[in-house]
């Protein structure tokens, strides 16, 4: 999947829009002053700016006062970096889990080791998703099977309980996405989420 090219206002990297996140200016409380907010689905009307989904790029953008220039509002209120990072974390997490739930409702996802194994044998599967807290033995087995079938693997920094809530299970350590664009979307969102989480641990 491809999209229009945008430029991150933090690091100035050019990338396709789906690899970045969009920020817009919205009214602050009941006042006339506008404030920066994450446009989770990139659908808000009006001018927007784009950023890599990384804390470091948010920091560069605020330091360079790039939000006010990009949104053409010198008086724009820009929350502190911590508040913006919280918006970004919650937004990415929500988008990933919502997309996962939608894939399930569309019949494009199977959960559980036995069902995933059956799908592999039938030649189905485009993306294998493994929970962070899956055992090492199970992880190695599933990654080996996916490699043999030429299926991509994603392992978002989320546990099986959290993933399970999206697919109607108490624990979902092994998920297989069968259809597009769900597989591509979930792989990209997993990578973005992990990039943000990994940066926070440094």
């Amino acid at each position: 999947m491809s999209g229009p090219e945008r430029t991150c206002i933090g690091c100035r990297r050019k990338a396709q829009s789906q690899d970045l996140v969009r920020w817009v200016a919205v009214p602050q409380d009941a006042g006339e002053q506008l404030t920066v907010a994450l446009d989770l689905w990139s659908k808000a009307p009006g001018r927007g700016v784009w950023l890599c989904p990384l804390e470091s790029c948010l920091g560069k953008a605020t330091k360079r006062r790039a939000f006010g220039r990009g949104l053409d509002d010198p008086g724009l209120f820009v929350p502190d970096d911590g508040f913006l990072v919280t918006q970004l974390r919650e937004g990415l997490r929500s988008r990933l889990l919502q997309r996962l739930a939608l894939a399930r409702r569309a019949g494009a996802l199977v959960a559980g080791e036995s069902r995933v194994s059956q799908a592999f044998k039938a030649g189905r599967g485009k993306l294998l998703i493994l929970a962070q807290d899956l055992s090492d033995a199970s992880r190695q087995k599933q990654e080996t099977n996916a490699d043999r079938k030429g299926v991509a693997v994603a392992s978002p920094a989320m546990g099986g309980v959290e993933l399970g809530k999206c697919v109607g299970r108490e624990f979902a350590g092994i998920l297989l996405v069968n259809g597009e664009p769900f597989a591509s979307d979930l792989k990209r969102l997993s990578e973005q989420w992990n990039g943000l989480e990994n940066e926070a641990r440094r």
Side-chain angles (χ1 to χ4, degrees):
M1 182 186 296
S2 61
E5 189 174 71
R6 303 290 188 234
T7 300
C8 172
I9 63 169
C11 69
R12 309 303 299 171
R13 178 177 74 97
K14 292 183 181 296
Q16 293 179 350
S17 58
Q18 65 261 29
D19 295 324
L20 305 175
V21 289
R22 187 173 186 257
W23 298 79
V24 295
V26 298
Q28 183 181 22
D29 298 325
E32 295 182 0
Q33 187 179 34
L34 298 179
T35 186
V36 174
L38 178 65
D39 178 16
L40 180 60
W41 299 106
S42 304
K43 292 182 178 179
R47 183 187 294 267
V49 294
W50 299 82
L51 273 164
C52 298
L54 293 170
E55 183 175 350
S56 56
C57 285
L58 273 173
K60 290 174 184 176
T62 55
K63 185 176 182 180
R64 296 175 54 243
R65 299 181 180 177
F67 282 109
R69 290 195 302 273
L71 295 170
D72 196 24
D73 185 351
L76 180 72
F77 175 74
V78 181
D80 62 59
D81 289 359
F83 184 84
L84 293 177
V85 170
T86 297
Q87 278 196 56
L88 179 58
R89 290 191 78 258
E90 292 177 351
L92 281 182
R93 177 183 175 277
S94 175
R95 192 158 62 176
L96 194 161
L97 294 177
Q98 286 181 34
R99 199 62 176 156
L100 193 62
L102 184 59
R104 180 216 178 196
R105 291 197 296 270
L109 179 147
V110 296
E113 184 173 5
S114 61
R115 295 187 67 191
V116 168
S117 178
Q118 290 172 5
F120 273 148
K121 290 177 181 178
R124 299 196 305 273
K126 293 184 177 296
L127 177 69
L128 180 68
I129 299 177
L130 303 176
Q132 187 180 40
D133 51 358
L134 190 67
S135 70
D136 291 341
S138 294
R139 178 179 299 277
Q140 184 175 4
K141 176 183 176 181
Q142 294 301 323
E143 288 178 343
T144 299
N145 288 339
D147 184 61
R148 288 173 180 167
K149 298 293 184 179
V151 174
V153 179
S155 186
M158 295 179 178
V161 172
E162 187 170 19
L163 294 177
K165 291 177 182 178
C166 296
V167 297
R169 299 171 68 98
E170 291 185 4
F171 184 91
I174 305 169
L175 303 168
L176 186 66
V177 184
N178 295 321
E180 293 289 3
F182 298 110
S184 296
D185 290 348
L186 286 164
K187 186 174 187 298
R188 183 182 69 254
L189 289 168
S190 293
E191 291 170 350
Q192 291 176 348
W193 173 257
N194 286 350
L196 183 63
E197 290 294 282
N198 290 338
E199 191 178 57
R201 296 190 188 104
R202 294 172 189 167

